[in-house]
Amino acid sequence: MNEFDNKYRSQGYRLLGGIDEAGRGPLAGPVAAACVVLPVNCKIDGLRDSKQLSQPQRQELEIQIKQVALDWSVVFCPAKLIDLVNVLEATKIAMTAAYQALRVKPDLLLIDAVKIKYLPVTHYGIIKGDTKSASIAAASILAKQARDRYMEHLHMRHPIYGFNKHKGYPTKEHYDILKEFGPCEEHRLTFKGVS
C-alpha cells in the first residue's frame, strides 16, 4: 500500500494525506471522518482496511498510527445534520472538516471513493482506496475506532438500544427495539425503518 501512495509522491507532491469515513450505513449516531498524514515509506505492520481487522487489531494499529503520523484528525457529523443534508453530503462535510482540522496540511489527499468539489486541495477519490493506500487504510482505522467509542458511550446513555453490540447498524434486534420504543435523539429519522 505504500507503493500506491509513493506513486503519487513521485509526481512531486510533498505531503500526502488519506481520508476515510465510518458509519454511513447505521441508523443512529454520527458519521466519522478521519484524515491521516503518514511519513514517506511509513512501516506499520498489519495496516489494512479497518473492516478486515478485529477490534483488538484496530486498537493496536490506532496507537501505532497516532504515534508515527505527521498529523491526524477525526471529525463527527451528527445525525441531525445527516437528516438535513443526506448521509453522503454529511460525509463530505466531515471529510472536509477533518482536512481543515490538520495542523500539517498535505498538498494531496487520497479519499476512499469520494470526490468533493469544494475541497480546497488537490484530491483523488480512489475506489476501494482503503485496500490500496496506506494513508486511506490508516484513516479508516482512526475513523472506525473513534465512532465505535462514541457508540459505546451512547450505549451508556441509552442502554435500551444495544448500541454497544450493533453500533447503530440496521440489525433485526435494532429494528425490533425501534418498533417497541421509537427512536432517540441520536437516530437518523430520514433512514428507512427509524421513525
Short mmCIF file of all heavy atoms in Angstrom, two decimals, residues 17 24 33 39 42 50 68 111 122 147 175-176 188:
data_model
loop_
_atom_site.label_atom_id
_atom_site.label_comp_id
_atom_site.label_asym_id
_atom_site.label_seq_id
_atom_site.Cartn_x
_atom_site.Cartn_y
_atom_site.Cartn_z
N GLY A 17 -2.02 13.02 2.28
CA GLY A 17 -2.96 12.65 3.34
C GLY A 17 -3.99 11.65 2.83
O GLY A 17 -4.32 11.65 1.64
N ARG A 24 -21.55 5.33 7.63
CA ARG A 24 -22.58 5.82 6.69
C ARG A 24 -23.85 4.98 6.75
O ARG A 24 -24.94 5.47 6.53
CB ARG A 24 -22.02 5.85 5.26
CG ARG A 24 -21.22 7.10 4.99
CD ARG A 24 -20.51 7.06 3.66
NE ARG A 24 -21.39 7.07 2.51
CZ ARG A 24 -20.96 7.11 1.25
NH1 ARG A 24 -19.67 7.18 0.98
NH2 ARG A 24 -21.81 7.11 0.26
N ALA A 33 -15.24 10.96 10.08
CA ALA A 33 -14.24 11.02 9.01
C ALA A 33 -12.89 11.29 9.65
O ALA A 33 -12.78 12.10 10.57
CB ALA A 33 -14.58 12.11 8.00
N PRO A 39 4.30 9.66 7.26
CA PRO A 39 5.61 9.96 6.66
C PRO A 39 5.89 9.04 5.48
O PRO A 39 5.26 7.99 5.33
CB PRO A 39 6.60 9.72 7.80
CG PRO A 39 5.89 8.89 8.80
CD PRO A 39 4.41 9.10 8.60
N CYS A 42 6.39 4.85 5.47
CA CYS A 42 5.99 4.52 6.84
C CYS A 42 5.73 3.01 6.94
O CYS A 42 5.04 2.44 6.10
CB CYS A 42 4.73 5.31 7.19
SG CYS A 42 4.04 4.91 8.78
N SER A 50 -9.92 -1.20 7.77
CA SER A 50 -10.43 -1.49 9.12
C SER A 50 -11.44 -2.62 9.14
O SER A 50 -11.56 -3.34 10.14
CB SER A 50 -11.05 -0.23 9.73
OG SER A 50 -12.20 0.17 8.98
N VAL A 68 3.13 7.50 14.79
CA VAL A 68 4.02 7.76 13.66
C VAL A 68 3.52 8.84 12.71
O VAL A 68 4.31 9.41 11.94
CB VAL A 68 4.33 6.46 12.85
CG1 VAL A 68 4.91 5.39 13.74
CG2 VAL A 68 3.08 5.95 12.12
N ILE A 111 -8.76 9.98 -1.12
CA ILE A 111 -10.01 9.78 -0.38
C ILE A 111 -10.65 8.48 -0.84
O ILE A 111 -10.70 8.18 -2.04
CB ILE A 111 -10.98 10.95 -0.62
CG1 ILE A 111 -10.32 12.29 -0.29
CG2 ILE A 111 -12.25 10.76 0.19
CD1 ILE A 111 -11.17 13.50 -0.59
N THR A 122 -5.83 19.61 -3.93
CA THR A 122 -5.87 18.56 -4.94
C THR A 122 -6.19 17.23 -4.26
O THR A 122 -5.59 16.88 -3.24
CB THR A 122 -4.52 18.45 -5.67
OG1 THR A 122 -4.21 19.71 -6.25
CG2 THR A 122 -4.56 17.38 -6.76
N ARG A 147 -15.55 6.27 16.06
CA ARG A 147 -17.01 6.12 16.02
C ARG A 147 -17.48 5.01 16.96
O ARG A 147 -18.49 5.14 17.64
CB ARG A 147 -17.50 5.86 14.60
CG ARG A 147 -19.02 5.90 14.54
CD ARG A 147 -19.60 5.63 13.18
NE ARG A 147 -21.03 5.89 13.23
CZ ARG A 147 -21.94 5.05 13.75
NH1 ARG A 147 -21.56 3.89 14.24
NH2 ARG A 147 -23.22 5.39 13.78
N TYR A 175 -34.07 -2.97 14.77
CA TYR A 175 -35.40 -2.65 14.23
C TYR A 175 -36.51 -3.03 15.23
O TYR A 175 -37.49 -2.29 15.39
CB TYR A 175 -35.64 -3.38 12.91
CG TYR A 175 -34.97 -2.75 11.71
CD1 TYR A 175 -34.11 -3.49 10.90
CD2 TYR A 175 -35.20 -1.42 11.37
CE1 TYR A 175 -33.51 -2.92 9.79
CE2 TYR A 175 -34.60 -0.84 10.27
CZ TYR A 175 -33.75 -1.60 9.48
OH TYR A 175 -33.15 -1.03 8.39
N ASP A 176 -36.35 -4.17 15.89
CA ASP A 176 -37.36 -4.60 16.87
C ASP A 176 -37.46 -3.61 18.02
O ASP A 176 -38.57 -3.27 18.47
CB ASP A 176 -37.02 -6.00 17.40
CG ASP A 176 -37.24 -7.10 16.36
OD1 ASP A 176 -37.89 -6.82 15.34
OD2 ASP A 176 -36.73 -8.21 16.57
N ARG A 188 -31.19 8.60 13.08
CA ARG A 188 -31.32 9.31 11.80
C ARG A 188 -32.75 9.11 11.31
O ARG A 188 -33.11 8.08 10.77
CB ARG A 188 -30.31 8.77 10.80
CG ARG A 188 -28.87 8.85 11.30
CD ARG A 188 -27.91 8.11 10.40
NE ARG A 188 -26.55 8.13 10.94
CZ ARG A 188 -25.49 7.57 10.34
NH1 ARG A 188 -25.67 6.91 9.18
NH2 ARG A 188 -24.30 7.64 10.90
#
